[in-house]
Structure formats: structure tokens, C-alpha cells
Amino acid sequence: MLNPDLYHRSVLDIDLAALAAQGIDTLLIDLDNTLVPRDSAEIPAEVKAWALALPAAGFSACIVSNNWHERVCKVAEELGMELVAKAVKPLPFAFYAAFRRMGCSRASAVIIGDQLFTDVLGGKLVGIKTILIAPISSADLPHTLFLRKVERVLLAGRTPLP
């Protein structure tokens, strides 16, 4: 349940053609430390370019975030993505809301995020593919910093794919 299907350094390293070949056309994406540094609304230019190119590549995307502050809406709007905020991942409710909002099936969706205990576990609980991303920054909430230590043990030296 805590073993991601793929592990990359960044969303920029995800092979979108390989996902499309597997029938994936919907990306559910975490926000903090996946698309932007924690507590920031500043989208890195290369991440913004990647996100804005998704529709032309045949993908739709929805931010699924445990966060609910105004900046979450701002980032989703700036990237042209749907949003499910206050997700309470890993609980499945937000994933089901994202499936309904995006009109997708579990077989055509993947969750992309930086945490094993929220993004990967939540994705596994609803039966979708999971992609773990190395966190963009080291800034995080105290409980998340503790969980990152547990994640390092669980990943047992596994390193992100290039």
C-alpha cells in the first residue's frame, strides 16, 4: 500500500507518452511540494509550462490537495486545472470527488504526489496508479517532516528515476 508504481525527481520527469500508452488520460496531482514549494503560490516556470502543455498532450488534470487556503485556488486557476481542496488524503472521498469532476474511471487516472502516507496510500486505497515525486522543498509541517523520516526507511534506499 505504500509502494509507489513509479518514483521520479519531478513531474517534469514523468513519461507522459508511457502513461498514455497505458490508457492514462487523467492526472490527479498534489499541490504542496509537488507542483509548488510548500506554502507558496509561485509556480516554477518549467512546472507551469509542463502543466499548461498537458491538454495538448491529451491529459486532463485536477489538483487534489489537503490544503484549502486561497493560494490553492489561485494556483489551480493559473494552471487551468480543476481542484479538489480539503482532500483529507489518504481518505478516499476526495479521490472519488475528483473522478466525478473529471468524468474519468479509476483505470484512466493516476495520482502524482510527494508523500507516501497521503498521495500514494490514498491512490492505492482507491485502486489507481501512483507516482511519487521527490519533494520540491524541505519546508513542511512538523508532522510531515516526521513522516518523511519514516518514508526514507520505507523507500529503503530507492532513488527517483531520472
Side-chain angles (χ1 to χ4, degrees), residues 82-95:
E82 293 290 327
L83 171 65
V84 175
K86 299 181 187 174
V88 197
K89 294 175 289 182
L91 297 178
F93 312 112
F95 290 91

Side-chain angles (χ1 to χ4, degrees), residues 106-141:
R106 295 177 195 197
S108 67
V110 64
I111 177 73
I112 301 167
D114 71 306
Q115 293 188 52
L116 288 179
F117 290 99
T118 56
D119 308 306
V120 172
L121 179 58
K124 296 290 185 181
L125 288 172
V126 297
I128 64 174
K129 293 186 182 303
T130 60
I131 300 176
L132 180 67
I133 299 296
I136 289 177
S137 76
S138 59
D140 232 321
L141 297 170

